């Protein structure tokens, strides 16, 4: 069904409903991640296992990367209930690995970093949604910068350079702040007008929610690296 069959007002309403669903799924995933992280942080046996067993910890990280890659690629064609289950499974798995921030940083600095992230996300997502400017070129630049950020982060595991650590941290904040605006605009435009309430609509909203969830989590972690007080 072509979007030109709808009035501009109908398109705006459906886009608003769609982005609200995206934010709803994303918020639910963030809450689940936060609760999981807090619970695991209170469970001494699990925390000790994550800290003492590098194979377990890095295995979880690699598993998360593979899972999110699979979800991103296969979600449009999978059953909607399977898509929901895998989406929340990833949120839980992420919560397990993120539980270590409660061991490393003070609760007050985690909370303040979260609120800074939430405020930044709200402003940039609103900009991405309402701006009339095409953010495609900015998105391409940011994606190239993200590749460089990943390479620099991996290199610094071996180099252990304090200067590179801070460069990566500030660059990460800049990159993901911009990606929030770009991804919001992209998600708004990917909505297929006329399929509201269908399984395809739900899967589209899950794709968008996963994208913004990853932007939020990464921005939070980089802000925490800068402003977090270590125990």
């Amino acid at each position: 069904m072509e979007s030109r069959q709808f009035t501009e007002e109908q398109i705006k309403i459906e886009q608003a409903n769609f982005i609200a669903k995206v934010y709803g799924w994303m918020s639910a995933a963030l809450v689940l991640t936060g609760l999981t992280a807090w619970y695991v942080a209170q469970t001494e046996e699990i925390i000790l296992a994550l800290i003492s067993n590098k194979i377990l910890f890095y295995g979880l990280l690699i598993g998360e990367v593979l899972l999110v890659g699979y979800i991103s690629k296969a979600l449009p064609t999978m059953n909607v209930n399977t898509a929901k289950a895998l989406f929340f499974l990833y949120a839980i798995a992420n919560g397990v690995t993120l539980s270590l921030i409660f061991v490393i940083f003070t609760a007050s600095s985690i909370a303040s970093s979260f609120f800074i992230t939430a405020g930044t996300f709200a402003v940039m997502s609103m900009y991405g949604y309402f701006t009339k400017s095409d953010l495609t070129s900015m998105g391409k630049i940011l994606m190239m910068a993200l590749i460089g950020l990943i390479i620099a982060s991996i290199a610094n595991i071996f180099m252990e350079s304090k200067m590179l650590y801070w460069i990566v941290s500030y660059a990460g904040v800049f990159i993901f702040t911009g990606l929030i605006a770009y991804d919001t605009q992209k998600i708004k435009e990917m909505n297929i007008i006329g399929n509201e309430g269908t399984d395809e609509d739900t899967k589209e909203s899950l794709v968008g929610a996963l994208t913004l969830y990853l932007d939020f989590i990464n921005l939070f972690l980089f802000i925490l690296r800068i402003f977090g007080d270590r125990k």
Side-chain angles (χ1 to χ4, degrees), residues 9-75:
E9 184 64 24
Q10 288 174 320
I11 292 172
K12 287 182 178 180
I13 291 173
E14 190 162 330
Q15 284 179 333
N17 291 340
F18 175 74
I19 208 72
K21 279 181 280 191
V22 170
Y23 290 150
W25 289 118
M26 184 201 75
S27 299
L30 287 173
V31 169
L32 187 56
T33 296
L35 290 175
T36 302
W38 178 84
Y39 174 78
V40 172
Q42 310 306 310
T43 310
E44 188 176 346
E45 295 82 1
I46 302 177
I47 286 294
L48 287 175
L50 290 172
I51 294 174
S52 61
N53 192 331
K54 289 187 176 181
I55 295 176
L56 173 62
F57 179 72
Y58 286 109
L60 284 172
L61 287 179
I62 293 171
E64 283 183 46
V65 172
L66 294 175
L67 178 59
V68 77
Y70 172 74
I71 295 172
S72 301
K73 183 177 180 180
L75 195 151

Side-chain angles (χ1 to χ4, degrees), residues 110-186:
I110 292 173
S112 60
S113 296
F114 176 84
F115 286 117
I116 292 171
T117 303
T120 304
F121 180 91
V123 170
M124 295 309 296
S125 194
M126 287 177 63
Y127 172 75
Y129 186 83
F130 290 107
T131 185
K132 301 298 183 182
S133 302
D134 185 357
L135 303 181
T136 302
S137 58
M138 182 184 81
K140 291 179 179 178
I141 294 172
L142 290 172
M143 290 305 297
M144 288 188 290
L146 179 58
I147 293 172
L149 184 74
I150 294 171
I151 294 172
S153 298
I154 294 173
N156 205 38
I157 294 175
F158 305 98
M159 295 171 58
E160 298 183 346
S161 167
K162 193 169 183 179
M163 179 180 291
L164 185 56
Y165 172 89
W166 288 112
I167 291 173
V168 166
S169 298
Y170 283 101
V173 170
F174 172 79
I175 291 169
F176 282 101
T177 296
L179 281 175
I180 289 167
Y182 166 72
D183 285 332
T184 299
Q185 185 179 79
K186 183 179 69 175

